[in-house]
Amino acid sequence: PNELSQNIDADKNLQFLPKITDSDGNGIDSSIISYTLKNLATKNVTNITDVIIGNGGVWEASTVGDWEITAWAISEGGYNISETVSVTVQHGDAVSVDVDVIANTAKAGDQYTLTITGTDSDGNTFLESVLWTQNNNAVPSSTIYGNSGEYNWNATTAGEHTFKFRSPSGAESEWTVTVSAHQTVSRIELTIADDTVQQLETFEIEVHTFDAWENEIPVPPETQVELT
């Protein structure tokens, strides 16, 4: 690399084209060069000479972190000649995405946190932003909202719901959740079959009860209807 400080993602690589000269400017066979890789977090140093030479001078980035790659050789005079490149590796594009959620069942009114994790081709994991759809339509922010891999979902309509989520790189998956109605009555609906009846005659009244999210629920046995 031309710059001694590099910032790349795990999908990229660095090309090493070493040139060695003596004090008179004469070229020296670059096959005497060795390469080491240092993990700045653990201080662990690995000899990667065979890897780079076998790869035609290319170092493939993989694990996220801060690294130093040193190219070095011993001159005829016994001096250590070296140069070090500092490399910061960030995660690559997601090839898969997964959701982490407390449960796949809920009750109307519940709110769950949805954590989306992306994984790149090197196995690095990270929070990933995604777009949400349901039945090929964008999910409204009243149902799912958030960003950068952390989202909140509100349970409302009873039934089974499948939400698809897709990362900018095209990796996608889906989450299916079953919502049950809340059993607290929020609204009562009465339907009377006849507008008028004769005195002492009977008439039917249909009673429907709903929770706060308009899911119909069984009429509680203790329900009483008073007409005035």
Side-chain angles (χ1 to χ4, degrees):
N2 295 325
E3 301 293 333
L4 296 182
S5 181
Q6 298 285 324
N7 193 327
I8 63 176
D9 66 48
D11 297 331
K12 300 296 191 300
N13 58 58
L14 294 178
Q15 175 80 54
F16 288 85
L17 299 172
K19 293 181 180 179
I20 307 177
T21 57
D22 60 21
S23 58
D24 297 319
N26 300 309
I28 300 175
D29 183 5
S30 61
S31 64
I32 67 171
I33 295 178
S34 295
Y35 298 88
T36 58
L37 176 68
K38 182 178 183 179
N39 184 327
L40 296 184
T42 64
K43 308 304 180 184
N44 184 53
V45 178
T46 305
N47 189 318
I48 58 171
T49 305
D50 291 343
V51 173
I52 290 184
I53 293 177
N55 222 14
V58 173
W59 177 72
E60 299 282 353
S62 58
T63 305
V64 169
D66 294 313
W67 309 84
E68 284 183 349
I69 299 175
T70 300
W72 61 276
I74 303 298
S75 69
E76 291 183 357
Y79 296 102
N80 188 321
I81 306 169
S82 66
E83 191 157 75
T84 298
V85 178
S86 297
V87 186
T88 296
V89 178
Q90 300 176 351
H91 67 78
D93 291 337
V95 296
S96 66
V97 284
D98 297 286
V99 61
D100 182 33
V101 59
I102 190 172
N104 296 321
T105 58
K107 182 170 61 177
D110 287 345
Q111 183 180 87
Y112 288 171
T113 297
L114 310 176
T115 302
I116 304 300
T117 301
T119 304
D120 65 19
S121 58
D122 292 291
N124 299 300
T125 57
F126 45 91
L127 291 176
E128 179 72 317
S129 297
V130 293
L131 294 177
W132 294 88
T133 59
Q134 184 179 26
N135 300 323
N136 296 320
N137 295 313
V139 177
S141 58
S142 58
T143 301
I144 297 179
Y145 64 94
N147 54 61
S148 303
E150 294 285 356
Y151 299 89
N152 292 305
W153 167 73
N154 293 314
T156 55
T157 305
E160 185 176 272
H161 304 273
T162 296
F163 299 98
K164 293 185 177 181
F165 48 99
R166 181 183 179 91
S167 73
S169 63
E172 60 183 359
S173 188
E174 62 183 37
W175 174 56
T176 298
V177 59
T178 300
V179 178
S180 59
H182 200 289
Q183 295 305 306
T184 300
V185 176
S186 177
R187 183 173 70 85
I188 299 176
E189 183 179 285
L190 303 179
T191 302
I192 302 176
D194 300 307
D195 293 334
T196 60
V197 293
Q198 297 296 323
Q199 188 176 10
L200 300 180
E201 288 187 357
T202 62
F203 58 93
E204 293 184 356
I205 300 176
E206 290 187 1
V207 180
H208 298 272
T209 52
F210 301 83
D211 66 14
W213 296 269
E214 288 301 303
N215 299 301
E216 186 169 1
I217 58 178
V219 178
E222 68 275 11
T223 302
Q224 296 181 353
V225 177
E226 295 183 359
L227 299 180
T228 58

